[in-house]
Amino acid sequence: DADVTQTPRNRITKTGKRIMLECSQTKGHDRMYWYRQDPGLGLRLIYYSFDVKDINKGEISDGYSVSRQAQAKFSLSLESAIPNQTALYFCATSDRSSPNEKLFFGSGTQLSVL
Amino acid sequence: GQQLNQSPQSMFIQEGEDVSMNCTSSSIFNTWLWYKQDPGEGPVLLIALYKAGELTSNGRLTAQFGTTRKDSFLNISASIPSDVGIYFCAGQVEGGSEKLVFGKGTKLTVNP
């Protein structure tokens, strides 16, 4: 079983719909992240959480919200999806006690907004 | 925000050739990480570097933490078809946020 699991793996939705992407981890890490990947733009940080109920904005948080109700779960919501939110989304975790911020990624969710 | 310049953007090589890619920044880093992303998967950590001048190998991969602390290099020797993917550098800026800064990736294609 994967240590960082993202669901769904693929999602097609329509403009204006609310959707939620889920992430769960069995690594016991306290820190969790949501990234977005677009071709040629690399990985951009949307939101991150260092502990339960701790929420911090990343560089591209507009149009997104997150929830961290448990250490192992971090969900990303698009309140009203728009086409330019079509992208590959990754959840990642890291361990506060590790010497540096080594991230462990899930397999990604490919989101298409029509 | 902080920027990492990763080059080249893409590479097309023949099986057996060596590969070099690098990341540079105007900022000083205290950590450099190299990730590989296979098609359809999330990035996986290949090598982590923690001090200037450090040279670390992982099989046919070798990475170096530049002595100026503003750059890092990744070399792949004797490439094979399974080396295809996107390689990302990432780093932690000294005195900055704990969060990693990512390069935009180098897409590697290996022709058999």
Side-chain angles (χ1 to χ4, degrees), chain A residues 9 31 35 37 40-43 45 48 88 90 100-103 105-107, chain B residues 31 33 35 37 40-43 45 50 86 88 92 98-100 102-104:
Chain A
R9 286 298 309 271
R31 300 182 171 186
Y35 283 87
Q37 183 179 21
L41 295 181
L43 293 160
L45 182 63
Y48 63 102
L88 183 56
F90 286 106
N100 301 93
E101 284 290 332
K102 288 189 288 189
L103 296 177
F105 288 86
S107 296
Chain B
T31 301
L33 306 174
Y35 285 85
Q37 182 182 18
E41 297 296 329
L45 182 65
Y50 300 114
I86 303 176
F88 290 101
Q92 194 174 46
E98 293 181 51
K99 302 186 302 300
L100 288 177
F102 279 87
K104 294 182 178 180

Side-chain angles (χ1 to χ4, degrees), chain B residues 7-85:
Chain B
S7 64
Q9 200 170 27
S10 62
M11 302 181 73
F12 297 84
I13 63 170
Q14 293 297 125
E15 182 177 359
E17 291 182 0
D18 297 342
V19 173
S20 292
M21 59 190 78
N22 69 84
C23 276
T24 62
S25 176
S26 58
S27 301
I28 292 175
F29 283 71
N30 59 26
T31 301
W32 284 100
L33 306 174
W34 284 92
Y35 285 85
K36 182 194 177 192
Q37 182 182 18
D38 289 324
E41 297 296 329
V44 174
L45 182 65
L46 297 173
I47 295 176
L49 304 161
Y50 300 114
K51 54 184 180 181
E54 181 179 354
L55 188 71
T56 298
S57 293
N58 178 3
R60 293 176 295 104
L61 278 63
T62 302
Q64 184 166 22
F65 193 136
T67 54
T68 65
R69 301 177 63 192
K70 295 181 178 181
D71 54 11
S72 180
F73 307 87
L74 175 69
N75 296 314
I76 305 173
S77 62
S79 59
I80 59 178
S82 62
D83 289 334
V84 300

Side-chain angles (χ1 to χ4, degrees), chain A residues 66-114:
Chain A
V66 291
S67 175
R68 183 92 184 272
Q69 297 294 331
Q71 190 200 39
K73 295 185 184 297
F74 193 35
S75 60
L76 175 71
S77 294
L78 285 67
E79 298 302 324
S80 179
I82 56 177
N84 75 2
Q85 291 178 312
T86 293
L88 183 56
Y89 290 84
F90 286 106
C91 174
T93 72
S94 69
D95 183 1
R96 172 185 7 207
S97 64
S98 69
N100 301 93
E101 284 290 332
K102 288 189 288 189
L103 296 177
F104 297 85
F105 288 86
S107 296
T109 296
Q110 178 62 57
L111 175 66
S112 298
V113 183
L114 305 179

